Amino acid sequence: MSNSRRTRSGVIVAAVTVVLALVAAAVVFFGGGYERWQDGRSVARACGGVVPGEAVRSLLRSNSAYVDRDSEEHSVFAGDAGWLETCAVTARGADGGSVSLGVGRAGEVRGILAGLGRQNLLQSPLPTTPVGSGWSGVVSWVGPLRNAVVQLDCRRTGVPDLVVRASALTDGEQDSAEAAAGLTRIARVVTETAGRANDKWGCEAALGKTVTSLAGPKPGRTEVKAVAEAHGTCRALTAVLSGLSSRRGASSVGGVVEAPVDAAPLEDCQIVDKGGEPLFQLTALYGALSGDVLSTRTGRVFASDGRSEGEWADAWASARCEQRTEPARYLVAAADPAKGRDAATRELERLLLRAFAAESAERHGCGAVVDNRTK
């Protein structure tokens, strides 16, 4: 074959190769591949580069998700101060859900409890569920929102603890099994984000394991246990209620609604009557969540003179915890502020609070509980 023929053949082969490459690129571009690539890049850079893209897409049940600047301006973090990074990721498609994420420093951020649907701490339909797996965190399901908070202990480096918060709005999670899976997925998102934030901001905290499931009652269902069968966050109340069965207020107790015991920064115990309606609620707060309560309506109870400024709690207590700036805080209140205001019921509340707080404080390695009477 002559050199000219070989040259022409080479040119033709090269031209065909270029055309095929262009066709392939066009297929990718017009087939959505380029959009997905751009989406992936935007998510990888979101919140300072700590967002776990795969876990987020799994949470949103979408093959593609992108950073939504418009949603960020109106996200659940709007108006909340002190966050190092916030971002909002939205799934592609007409029915796409979204998740808002934030990373901040304990003592500087506000809106942690609001992000769990606990603006009024003592009016919660269901206890929060601990993240578990070695993480200090909780998840909650409030209406259409799945929420999660994790805090990282940065005391090794002497910097304030880190707080990671996530709130997701997703479709199609109406049945209990799917809702439970949705809570597990958001726990996975918030813990993987926390692991990346731990490296980025030099926290050097001891991290938990990969979250594959959550303990506790199924989402959306109130599981009432007999007082004698309480083994979770209400277990300290068994002896108190059993010994006071004839006392006013205690005689109407039908059971408890509790969460599993874990190293959670927020713990709830709800006492219900024989019809399953709430009578009293007890809550324990640790670390950043304990500090954040002061910015909520419930925080009015912690007035400097130890008395309540509103009907947000009937009694409260506190305890100092090792190497923690914020004390742990414990509260009790009647579910219906209009009922149970007699002295006997208030004394019952204080007995319940002392038992609940002492058991929780001991598990968290805190000191003696100081009982502060508010009314």
Side-chain angles (χ1 to χ4, degrees):
M1 180 182 293
S2 66
N3 289 336
S4 60
R5 288 185 178 179
R6 283 197 295 268
T7 301
R8 285 196 299 271
S9 297
V11 170
I12 293 172
V13 170
V16 170
T17 302
V18 171
V19 170
L20 291 175
L22 291 173
V23 170
V27 170
V28 170
F29 184 86
F30 292 107
Y34 180 71
E35 183 179 71
R36 286 193 293 273
W37 175 74
Q38 280 193 317
D39 288 348
R41 289 188 65 194
S42 70
V43 172
R45 294 194 297 263
C47 277
V50 298
V51 175
E54 183 178 347
V56 165
R57 287 187 288 274
S58 175
L59 168 66
L60 300 177
R61 294 181 295 176
S62 173
N63 292 325
S64 185
Y66 65 100
V67 174
D68 190 342
R69 303 297 180 189
D70 293 333
S71 293
E72 284 183 347
E73 295 178 3
H74 304 90
S75 74
V76 294
F77 293 95
D80 293 339
W83 294 92
L84 296 169
E85 295 280 355
T86 63
C87 55
V89 180
T90 300
R92 287 284 178 194
D95 298 325
S98 63
V99 57
S100 296
L101 291 153
V103 181
R105 295 281 190 193
E108 299 175 5
V109 296
R110 291 291 179 267
I112 307 171
L113 290 166
L116 291 169
R118 303 296 292 273
Q119 292 90 335
N120 183 357
L121 192 64
L122 292 165
Q123 291 184 359
S124 173
L126 293 170
T128 54
T129 299
V131 170
S133 300
W135 297 94
S136 176
V138 290
V139 297
S140 69
W141 181 18
V142 182
L145 289 174
R146 313 296 182 260
N147 310 295
V149 168
V150 162
Q151 61 181 18
L152 298 177
D153 183 351
C154 305
R155 75 180 80 175
R156 186 181 302 174
T157 56
V159 299
D161 292 351
L162 283 176
V163 180
V164 182
R165 170 184 153 191
S167 291
L169 177 64
T170 58
D171 295 326
E173 293 183 357
Q174 301 305 315
D175 64 277
S176 187
E178 182 55 35
L183 286 178
T184 300
R185 286 192 289 265
I186 196 168
R188 186 82 172 263
V189 167
V190 80
T191 52
E192 290 190 18
T193 302
R196 296 181 179 202
N198 183 60
D199 294 334
K200 181 176 177 65
W201 282 284
C203 177
E204 296 186 16
L207 304 180
K209 300 177 182 179
T210 299
V211 178
T212 57
S213 63
L214 299 174
K218 294 180 180 179
R221 295 184 182 180
T222 302
E223 295 186 7
V224 178
K225 295 181 180 179
V227 173
E229 296 175 359
H231 299 292
T233 50
C234 294
R235 64 186 185 183
L237 306 185
T238 300
V240 176
L241 292 172
S242 298
L244 299 172
S245 58
S246 60
R247 180 175 295 217
R248 178 178 173 85
S251 59
S252 59
V253 171
V256 297
V257 179
E258 62 177 1
V261 167
D262 207 295
L266 191 160
E267 297 177 350
D268 294 311
C269 169
Q270 194 175 84
I271 301 173
V272 300
D273 62 19
K274 291 179 171 57
E277 294 299 315
L279 287 174
F280 306 107
Q281 170 131 350
L282 297 108
T283 296
L285 295 154
Y286 294 91
L289 277 74
S290 178
D292 189 57
V293 72
L294 300 179
S295 67
T296 69
R297 289 187 298 172
T298 310
R300 290 188 236 174
V301 71
F302 302 106
S304 59
D305 62 356
R307 298 188 61 81
S308 172
E309 296 179 7
E311 296 181 335
W312 305 111
D314 298 322
W316 66 278
S318 61
R320 284 289 173 184
C321 304
E322 184 181 359
Q323 299 184 30
R324 293 288 182 185
T325 302
E326 287 289 343
R329 292 181 169 94
Y330 312 91
L331 304 94
V332 63
D336 185 351
K339 297 179 180 179
R341 292 309 186 194
D342 60 280
T345 301
R346 291 178 185 172
E347 185 58 30
L348 171 61
E349 289 175 333
R350 294 185 179 105
L351 289 172
L352 295 171
L353 178 65
R354 290 182 196 126
F356 172 77
E359 193 273 339
S360 182
E362 183 178 2
R363 283 191 289 103
H364 283 263
C366 301
V369 174
V370 178
D371 184 357
N372 302 278
R373 297 195 172 199
T374 63
K375 292 183 182 179

